[in-house]
Amino acid sequence: MYRIFILFMTLQLIVSCSQVTLSNSLKQKQQVVDLEKLVDIPVKKYSLDNGLTLLVVENNALPIFSYYTFYNVGGRYESGTSTGATHFLEHLMFKGTKNYPFGIFDSEIEGNGGNTNAYTTFDQTVYHESVPVSQLDNIIKMEVDRMSNLVIKNDLFEKERAVILEERKMRYENSPSGKLYLTMMQSMFEGTPYGGSVIGEAKNIKEFTPKIIMDFYNKFYAPNNAVVVVVGDVKSDDVYESVKKQYGILEKSEKFQKIKEQRDKKELYTFRGKYKREINQWSSSPTPVLMMGFKGFDLNIREALVADILMDMLSGSTNSYLMQKYVHGKRPKMSSISANNYNLKMNGIFFFYAQLLRKANLNSVKKSLKQEYKTICEKGLNVRAMLRTKNQFLVHYFEEIQTNAGVAQFVGVRESMLGDYEHYKKELKVYNELTLDEVRNVCHKIFDTNEYILLTTWNKNPRKKK
Amino acid sequence: MKSIIICSYMLMTLVSLNIFAAESIANKVTKLNWNGLDVVWINEDRYPTYNISVYYGDGALSDNSSRRGETEMMFNFLDIGTRRYSQMQIADALDFYGVTYNARVTHEYSTFSMKGLVKDIVPTLKMVCHMVNNATYPKKILHREKNRMKNAFSSLLNDKRELASRAFRKLSLRNTPYQYSTDGSLKTLRKISSKNLILKKDYFQKRVSKVLYLTGPKEVLKIREIINKECGWENQKNLFSRRITYKENKISGPMIYLITVPKANLAQIRMGRFLNKSELGNDELMTLSAGFLGGGFTSLLMREVRVKRGLTYSINAFAGAQAEYGRVGISSFTKNETVTELIKVVRDTLSRVGRNEFKLADFKRAQGYLIGSYPFRFEESSDFLQQLISLDHVKKTYDNLYRFPETVSKLSSEDVAKNISKLFDWNKMTIVVLGEKKLSKQLRKLGQLKIISHKKFL
């Protein structure tokens, strides 16, 4: 069982610097925890000769486990005419392999009380199962087969194409916010490998053939392009032995190396879109929805972590600056607003997402936001907000690792994206030593460039693109 | 035949494994009595965190008919001001502790829940006690928060799934005491004043029975005195718990409703019905019936609608009950061109199940899923706690939970087929399609159609 080391003895008492006067009884109780010493997940890491990385965390609380496979391939490896290929392939990975024909994989898992699913991002494709512990060997065998023996049948391919088009309609075409978000991502990352669409353009989805998808699979699905994480009622060394036996027969692949060398060049991801502009979309939304994107940071750098704190300081509480000014203040203009920090592996964005009140004037809000970001780093940040955010982050960390699946996701993302499953310790260290000055500096880095894209959608916008 | 024998063997193994799991789970639960207040504590020491849920024996059924949504608003706005603290000060204190809190109001009962770090449980609870005793719902702040709510109602068009479910609830539960949504409507919202909310709060605080549920390490039990003295929750014995009787609802159908929205190339579809108290069977049978029909990737409906025909991305079925009533439903969506096809596939699937025309292996798989997935119900202590609340509400013992795998293993495919025919009786169904008006042409071919604007459900 993994243990969270609770070191209450090391609690740091930090004096409140709030500008709000509270009763003494409340003030005295406010403590901030030494974040970095609180979480310690005992992970065992193994590497196979064929390049597969395995992480195991033992937790014998219940007779179950979660199994995550992170493939280091996502939407950014697609070309302009093949957007959505990674996601299409993710769907087809449930449609049968050589040794487990269609219907067996999910039947085996669900029939034993487990569940399975997958997701695709610009950087990764992740498959996961949570099942009773008796199924460990079975899951390993099935995942090995999915890594090496995918079978794509034409009839199933066509059915799944239809399903993906339905999914696209649900997530984007019929969701004003979903559509606006997609437009924001494509505009902010225009001309870079992040400027496509993970689910794919409808046109591309309609034109894919089984061969295109199979070529993609053959290129990227290999042990040296994957990280497997097992968390639950297992013995680490037993898992390693089984994984070595089953995955060990697969060969390392060189096929994706060249593409990766080309696609992983940092300069490809440099922002090159048109900024300081507006995009106004028509949708059926009866109230305006607004997004305002700024250039952000990739996952690898300290600024990305600081920007996490920044976003919560600005909007993560009823009392935060943006919430007070636009939602809970004397003259509210919005029903909600949030600051968001989205860090991808090679680049990132920072954006505001707001829903306006019916009677608010959109033009006046736009004008206000265009002024807001110029002064927000001074007006919107204070020490108390920073301390509050640190506490909220700690609760959030514990929430993330409540389940086996949560732990697998937690360490797996860090290992596959950053090459370090213990990266969370660095994160906690950064959060712990963070000062208001550093948050302000990062804030200025985001907003002082003066480069943004402001997007709106509602039923009063003109139907044609402005 | 071989696969069925293997399935049966697997089921037996899963059941015995999970009986073992159930015993260790049961050992974590302790019932206490704090000066007349029942307390249920789940001992959970993996993390320095706690969950607290206060159960109140009344819910939205207590709302005046012109002020629907009052109970939910009373709980949700506890933090907008008290005699001593402003909204900002309350938020400043609670947010500082990283606490999250929320209310869940059903028709029959309500819960107010919070979670945070054990180190902050005392000051957090002191503030919550202060709120439940002294919330004043200041007029200006209430006005502002109501405006936000009105906006959320108006913007429901942006969330068509939610809008469809809301319309479905109202239409499938028509002519029952449960037909209105617990959060009220644009119309009733306007009529709720600060005074109404204070009276409602006092009613829940002084007259409605309460039970305290908590999870966390032993340290959390130190809140006893705060609960008894500062919150004032003790001696609950003679307080009120709602139980109602109503005239049996006899809906004949299928009734088809088209809820019109502008510009949509996808239609949301809901099908289901209200269950009278006399129709509520055992929970395990209901759960297995819904799971067999529409739970997971291998369910009958998922195979028929998504896998075989590619008509949708997802489809699921549910069956659930509170103490006095139940609901069953099927939820999906599809492009405009295939709405009637999807409905027909569901109808035909239900009909085939009724005739026992399905593979026994499919049934065994659904049964295996429920039994095997049992331990997952206890992975998160907050989920575990919610299950105990539900059992206490319907006055069932925790043994029902602990014996769940065993009970499910004894259900036969015939039991389930019969139950599905009864629960999902096509002739009693309400079918709600939320989409463009032009869908009316194809929907009329399915039967009697009523067209209603989405605005009626805001």
Side-chain angles (χ1 to χ4, degrees):
Chain A
M1 183 173 169
Y2 55 86
R3 286 152 51 205
I4 307 301
F5 296 107
I6 308 152
L7 299 173
F8 285 112
M9 299 306 288
T10 62
L11 290 180
Q12 293 175 320
L13 276 172
I14 297 180
V15 180
S16 158
C17 295
S18 166
Q19 292 172 352
V20 179
T21 309
L22 283 173
S23 72
N24 284 337
S25 63
L26 278 175
K27 232 176 190 176
Q28 281 165 2
K29 298 288 179 185
Q30 288 161 355
Q31 303 168 339
V32 168
V33 182
D34 190 348
L35 296 172
E36 59 189 295
K37 291 177 182 167
L38 269 173
V39 187
D40 189 0
I41 304 171
V43 180
K44 277 199 179 176
K45 180 175 174 177
Y46 306 86
S47 299
L48 268 60
D49 290 344
N50 60 14
L52 182 82
T53 300
L54 169 70
L55 305 179
V56 188
V57 182
E58 296 181 12
N59 171 21
N60 62 10
L62 290 162
I64 49 177
F65 73 99
S66 291
Y67 194 103
Y68 273 61
T69 310
F70 295 81
Y71 285 98
N72 277 315
V73 56
R76 69 187 171 95
Y77 293 104
E78 296 159 357
S79 70
T81 55
S82 70
T83 63
T86 323
H87 176 254
F88 205 132
L89 172 57
E90 176 222 295
H91 276 238
L92 293 172
M93 288 282 280
F94 292 86
K95 298 295 161 193
T97 58
K98 189 178 150 194
N99 298 309
Y100 298 91
F102 171 63
I104 302 290
F105 180 79
D106 43 13
S107 293
E108 285 279 310
I109 290 169
E110 292 193 354
N112 283 290
N115 62 70
T116 176
N117 214 329
Y119 65 85
T120 308
T121 69
F122 272 115
D123 293 315
Q124 292 183 306
T125 315
V126 184
Y127 300 86
H128 51 93
E129 297 89 33
S130 290
V131 273
V133 72
S134 57
Q135 293 301 304
L136 180 62
D137 278 342
N138 206 14
I139 294 291
I140 294 173
K141 282 177 191 163
M142 289 196 293
E143 283 296 13
V144 169
D145 216 39
R146 286 216 293 188
M147 190 180 276
S148 52
N149 287 319
L150 181 71
V151 174
I152 300 179
K153 290 192 170 172
N154 283 344
D155 57 335
L156 294 171
F157 183 89
E158 289 308 324
K159 297 276 158 51
E160 215 48 37
R161 191 203 305 274
V163 169
I164 293 165
L165 288 167
E166 291 289 321
E167 183 184 355
R168 193 177 195 283
K169 283 191 173 78
M170 184 263 295
R171 290 196 199 283
Y172 301 104
E173 293 170 31
N174 286 268
S175 163
S177 313
K179 199 172 167 186
L180 196 68
Y181 176 76
L182 190 62
T183 309
M184 179 182 69
M185 291 293 285
Q186 290 178 326
S187 315
M188 286 299 296
F189 290 116
E190 191 182 338
T192 81
Y194 287 140
S197 141
V198 173
I199 199 161
E201 296 302 323
K203 186 177 176 287
N204 293 158
I205 297 169
K206 286 173 187 165
E207 285 170 357
F208 282 134
T209 61
K211 187 181 175 302
I212 293 172
I213 302 296
M214 190 51 110
D215 285 348
F216 203 83
Y217 170 79
N218 286 331
K219 236 176 253 171
F220 290 103
Y221 281 55
N224 50 329
N225 197 32
V227 173
V228 170
V229 187
V230 184
V231 181
D233 191 12
V234 295
K235 293 269 178 263
S236 306
D237 292 341
D238 294 350
V239 175
Y240 171 62
E241 288 305 323
S242 297
V243 164
K244 195 166 80 172
K245 189 177 161 195
Q246 300 295 337
Y247 283 91
I249 54 170
L250 304 183
E251 282 182 18
K252 191 181 261 191
S253 171
E254 303 296 328
K255 288 177 190 166
F256 58 86
Q257 307 288 15
K258 208 170 176 183
I259 304 166
K260 285 209 163 184
E261 272 167 30
Q262 289 167 353
R263 281 272 157 162
D264 288 353
K265 283 178 187 159
K266 189 73 187 159
E267 60 268 26
L268 287 179
Y269 297 85
T270 310
F271 287 107
R272 62 194 70 204
K274 291 175 212 144
Y275 303 100
K276 213 167 181 185
R277 66 179 172 126
E278 281 185 30
I279 297 172
N280 298 301
Q281 283 181 348
W282 184 91
S283 73
S284 60
S285 176
T287 51
V289 178
L290 181 149
M291 289 184 191
M292 191 174 189
F294 294 87
K295 296 173 180 178
F297 310 105
D298 70 68
L299 203 56
N300 273 299
I301 58 174
R302 186 178 170 100
E303 282 89 336
L305 300 172
V306 181
D308 271 347
I309 294 281
L310 172 66
M311 73 172 184
D312 260 29
M313 285 173 71
L314 290 175
S315 69
S317 157
T318 306
N319 259 8
S320 54
Y321 177 76
L322 289 172
M323 292 290 272
Q324 272 302 317
K325 177 152 186 187
Y326 292 100
V327 179
H328 295 292
K330 283 184 182 160
R331 287 183 202 87
K333 293 186 173 70
M334 300 172 181
S335 62
S336 67
I337 183 166
S338 61
N340 304 274
N341 178 40
Y342 184 29
N343 311 116
L344 291 130
K345 193 168 181 176
M346 309 300 281
N347 207 344
I349 60 166
F350 194 92
F351 66 99
F352 298 135
Y353 169 46
Q355 291 194 303
L356 271 61
L357 290 170
R358 279 175 307 165
K359 288 174 187 168
N361 180 306
L362 178 59
N363 284 330
S364 138
V365 172
K366 281 188 200 170
K367 202 174 161 188
S368 175
L369 280 177
K370 283 180 195 170
Q371 292 303 315
E372 189 67 72
Y373 76 85
K374 292 174 184 167
T375 53
I376 202 167
C377 302
E378 302 308 319
K379 288 197 279 184
L381 306 172
N382 59 54
V383 172
R384 186 162 176 84
M386 192 174 71
L387 299 182
R388 182 254 304 157
T389 302
K390 284 184 180 184
N391 251 354
Q392 288 177 323
F393 262 60
L394 187 59
V395 176
H396 179 66
Y397 263 72
F398 284 123
E399 271 175 17
E400 272 193 84
I401 55 174
Q402 281 257 322
T403 61
N404 290 333
V407 174
Q409 169 77 16
F410 189 85
V411 295
V413 163
R414 284 161 177 83
E415 178 66 27
S416 60
M417 296 273 275
L418 300 158
D420 178 11
Y421 65 84
E422 282 196 309
H423 192 267
Y424 68 90
K425 290 185 177 171
K426 291 176 197 159
E427 294 160 26
L428 289 169
K429 189 168 185 294
V430 171
Y431 296 145
N432 208 30
E433 65 195 20
L434 203 58
T435 62
L436 185 59
D437 282 346
E438 186 174 2
V439 181
R440 278 217 171 101
N441 285 340
V442 168
C443 184
H444 282 295
K445 276 188 187 173
I446 293 169
F447 297 118
D448 288 1
T449 61
N450 221 11
E451 292 191 310
Y452 61 83
I453 298 179
L454 198 157
L455 306 96
T456 67
T457 184
W458 71 319
N459 62 10
K460 301 271 191 315
N461 274 346
R463 289 196 182 231
K464 279 184 186 172
K465 216 174 169 182
K466 254 190 174 178
Chain B
M1 187 63 190
K2 193 182 161 194
S3 67
I4 293 165
I5 293 169
I6 293 169
C7 280
S8 301
Y9 172 73
M10 280 176 359
L11 282 183
M12 281 159 54
T13 313
L14 283 173
V15 171
S16 54
L17 270 173
N18 286 331
I19 286 172
F20 175 74
E23 278 170 15
S24 65
I25 288 158
N27 288 336
K28 286 183 156 193
V29 180
T30 307
K31 287 195 170 190
L32 304 162
N33 187 290
W34 290 354
N35 292 344
L37 173 75
D38 286 333
V39 177
V40 180
W41 168 48
I42 300 172
N43 186 352
E44 172 60 89
D45 57 5
R46 283 188 302 161
Y47 311 100
T49 54
Y50 68 88
N51 289 276
I52 295 178
S53 276
V54 189
Y55 165 91
Y56 294 83
D58 202 355
L61 284 171
S62 68
D63 290 349
N64 181 293
S65 61
S66 63
R67 298 195 301 273
R68 304 286 194 210
E70 197 177 52
T71 301
E72 196 159 307
M73 200 187 277
M74 179 276 287
F75 279 115
N76 286 339
F77 292 165
L78 275 174
D79 61 358
I80 66 169
T82 69
R83 284 175 201 159
R84 199 158 147 205
Y85 299 122
S86 67
Q87 182 184 32
M88 272 185 81
Q89 287 173 313
I90 294 170
D92 186 69
L94 294 179
D95 289 345
F96 191 89
Y97 300 133
V99 181
T100 48
Y101 53 99
N102 61 72
R104 177 172 179 254
V105 175
T106 73
H107 286 79
E108 296 178 354
Y109 71 93
S110 313
T111 54
F112 184 79
S113 306
M114 64 204 96
K115 57 183 173 184
L117 297 169
V118 174
K119 74 180 180 69
D120 297 324
I121 192 170
V122 168
T124 300
L125 208 59
K126 277 174 177 274
M127 178 55 99
V128 170
C129 291
H130 173 76
M131 284 154 52
V132 296
N133 282 308
N134 300 292
T136 52
Y137 306 96
K139 278 180 191 164
K140 274 187 185 169
I141 314 284
L142 181 64
H143 177 73
R144 204 177 57 208
E145 295 300 325
K146 275 166 68 173
N147 269 343
R148 284 181 68 207
M149 281 184 77
K150 283 180 202 166
N151 209 69
F153 277 126
S154 308
S155 304
L156 268 176
L157 190 58
N158 291 351
D159 186 354
K160 295 189 178 72
R161 276 185 287 188
E162 174 59 28
L163 187 54
S165 296
R166 196 176 169 83
F168 172 65
R169 174 179 191 97
K170 192 164 185 178
L171 294 166
S172 61
L173 272 61
R174 66 194 180 280
N175 303 327
T176 78
Y178 306 94
Q179 68 178 347
Y180 59 90
S181 185
T182 56
D183 60 356
S185 65
L186 271 174
K187 197 176 155 192
T188 60
L189 197 67
R190 292 191 186 101
K191 296 180 180 166
I192 301 172
S193 67
S194 294
K195 196 179 166 192
N196 298 141
L197 294 176
I198 292 170
L199 288 173
K200 179 66 87 175
K201 174 185 67 66
D202 289 346
Y203 164 73
F204 271 79
Q205 180 69 352
K206 292 170 187 163
R207 293 180 50 202
V208 177
S209 71
K210 291 160 213 66
V211 180
L212 186 76
Y213 295 83
L214 68 159
T215 75
K218 199 173 179 183
E219 203 182 344
V220 298
L221 300 179
K222 69 184 175 191
I223 62 172
R224 176 178 175 157
E225 189 150 325
I226 302 169
I227 291 288
N228 284 156
K229 300 298 171 209
E230 297 193 32
C231 283
W233 297 333
E234 51 189 353
N235 302 321
Q236 299 289 305
K237 201 175 177 185
N238 296 317
L239 297 186
F240 179 76
S241 273
R242 185 168 293 275
R243 284 290 180 265
I244 65 160
T245 51
Y246 54 89
K247 204 177 155 191
E248 285 234 335
N249 186 286
K250 289 176 183 166
I251 291 173
S252 61
M255 281 295 299
I256 308 166
Y257 296 90
L258 172 62
I259 314 302
T260 56
V261 292
K263 267 297 211 189
N265 63 6
L266 192 80
Q268 292 288 335
I269 301 170
R270 306 285 182 273
M271 297 169 245
R273 72 182 188 95
F274 174 84
L275 300 177
N276 295 294
K277 191 172 184 184
S278 60
E279 295 178 282
L280 303 180
N282 76 52
D283 293 342
E284 295 81 3
L285 184 58
M286 277 177 87
T287 309
L288 180 54
S289 301
F292 177 47
L293 197 58
F297 281 105
T298 58
S299 68
L300 292 183
L301 288 175
M302 197 68 158
R303 287 263 156 104
E304 290 297 329
V305 178
R306 175 175 160 160
V307 179
K308 282 190 191 167
R309 296 174 176 83
L311 293 176
T312 188
Y313 176 69
S314 81
I315 183 162
N316 64 73
F318 66 89
Q322 289 190 21
E324 310 288 345
Y325 82 108
R327 294 176 75 198
V328 294
I330 293 165
S331 171
S332 188
F333 59 84
T334 190
K335 58 187 172 293
N336 290 347
E337 297 78 12
T338 49
V339 173
T340 48
E341 187 183 352
L342 188 146
I343 295 171
K344 281 179 187 170
V345 173
V346 172
R347 184 191 62 196
D348 295 347
T349 306
L350 288 171
S351 168
R352 274 202 308 280
V353 173
R355 296 193 301 270
N356 270 307
E357 290 173 12
F358 53 84
K359 291 178 187 161
L360 191 56
D362 287 343
F363 168 75
K364 290 284 177 196
R365 190 174 54 241
Q367 198 175 28
Y369 173 75
L370 270 193
I371 296 167
S373 63
Y374 177 70
F376 290 100
R377 297 168 67 168
F378 307 100
E379 247 199 313
E380 286 191 75
S381 41
S382 54
D383 288 350
F384 186 7
L385 189 140
Q386 289 306 321
Q387 292 174 77
L388 299 185
I389 292 175
S390 297
L391 283 168
D392 283 339
H393 175 69
V394 297
K395 307 232 176 300
K396 288 187 175 171
T397 68
Y398 296 168
D399 270 358
N400 284 274
L401 180 60
Y402 305 145
R403 287 188 191 150
F404 182 84
E406 199 184 338
T407 314
V408 172
S409 70
K410 288 175 183 161
L411 298 171
S412 70
S413 61
E414 289 80 13
D415 294 335
V416 170
K418 212 169 137 188
N419 196 46
I420 288 175
S421 293
K422 197 178 79 179
L423 294 179
F424 294 88
D425 183 345
W426 194 254
N427 294 321
K428 292 180 180 171
M429 292 284 236
T430 296
I431 300 168
V432 171
V433 176
L434 185 133
E436 287 186 338
K437 200 172 179 182
K438 67 181 182 189
L439 293 173
S440 61
K441 202 174 166 186
Q442 51 167 311
L443 287 172
R444 277 204 173 91
K445 290 175 189 165
L446 290 173
Q448 203 185 341
L449 176 72
K450 201 168 174 186
I451 302 172
I452 309 173
S453 162
H454 74 275
K455 289 176 185 162
K456 292 269 180 202
F457 301 95
L458 302 179

